[in-house]
Amino acid sequence: MDISLNGYGEQVAQRLADVCTVWQPEENCRFVKYMLRMVHECQEQLEDATVVHWNCGLWDVCDLFGDGPFTPEEEYVENVLRIARILQQGGRTVIFATTTPTHPSYLYNAYERTIRYNQLVTPKLLEMGVQINDLF
């Protein structure tokens, strides 16, 4: 389940209402390539942002057919870094939230694969000055 669609975003906005304005897209940003497209679609909303907290990965590590994850490791890392560079434009503080573990009963997202994707991307993001929110 997508935590943003489960009311998480609304709760964050309410709790931070006295401090800042919180905005999130209406829909789930799905996998990294879709997220890259959504960054373009959300340029106006991001224009005045001083902090961007974002995440992708759960859909990317998913292996529905037993033939490998939806997004290969190299493509995932390349596109996460691309998104981070775009989000950093304008001097924004960028915070990447690592992919959360899934319940063991969810057969399509291997625990170890999620760890691997997080481990591949976080050191490179840190080198770029992106902060990490380790949700795993």
Side-chain angles (χ1 to χ4, degrees):
M1 176 187 324
D2 177 353
I3 59 175
S4 67
L5 299 180
N6 194 29
Y8 172 80
E10 291 174 18
Q11 291 178 36
V12 170
Q14 289 170 2
R15 291 181 184 195
L16 295 177
D18 294 338
V19 180
C20 62
T21 301
V22 175
W23 174 85
Q24 73 177 31
E26 292 291 320
E27 60 182 286
N28 182 314
C29 290
R30 301 180 180 114
F31 46 91
V32 70
K33 282 277 196 166
Y34 192 82
M35 173 77 182
L36 181 60
R37 178 69 172 114
M38 289 302 294
V39 169
H40 175 75
E41 294 299 315
C42 300
Q43 285 183 23
E44 186 177 321
Q45 291 85 354
L46 292 169
E47 193 171 283
D48 295 327
T50 54
V51 177
V52 177
H53 183 271
W54 65 289
N55 161 277
C56 57
L58 196 57
W59 286 43
D60 297 286
V61 301
C62 189
D63 181 358
L64 293 175
F65 304 103
D67 62 349
F70 184 78
T71 306
E73 292 177 355
E74 185 177 303
E75 182 181 334
Y76 176 74
V77 172
E78 177 184 321
N79 283 295
V80 167
L81 299 179
R82 186 175 177 192
I83 292 167
R85 282 191 297 274
I86 293 166
L87 293 176
Q88 285 179 315
Q89 293 173 3
R92 296 182 192 106
T93 298
V94 177
I95 305 167
F96 180 78
T98 60
T99 303
T100 57
T102 55
H103 191 275
S105 66
Y106 191 67
L107 306 175
Y108 304 112
N109 290 69
Y111 186 85
E112 294 78 17
R113 188 179 312 114
T114 303
I115 292 171
R116 171 109 174 117
Y117 276 55
N118 285 335
Q119 288 176 338
L120 286 170
V121 78
T122 53
K124 294 178 184 211
L125 288 167
L126 286 168
E127 287 175 16
M128 295 173 59
V130 173
Q131 297 177 33
I132 304 298
N133 181 5
D134 189 356
L135 297 180
F136 191 87

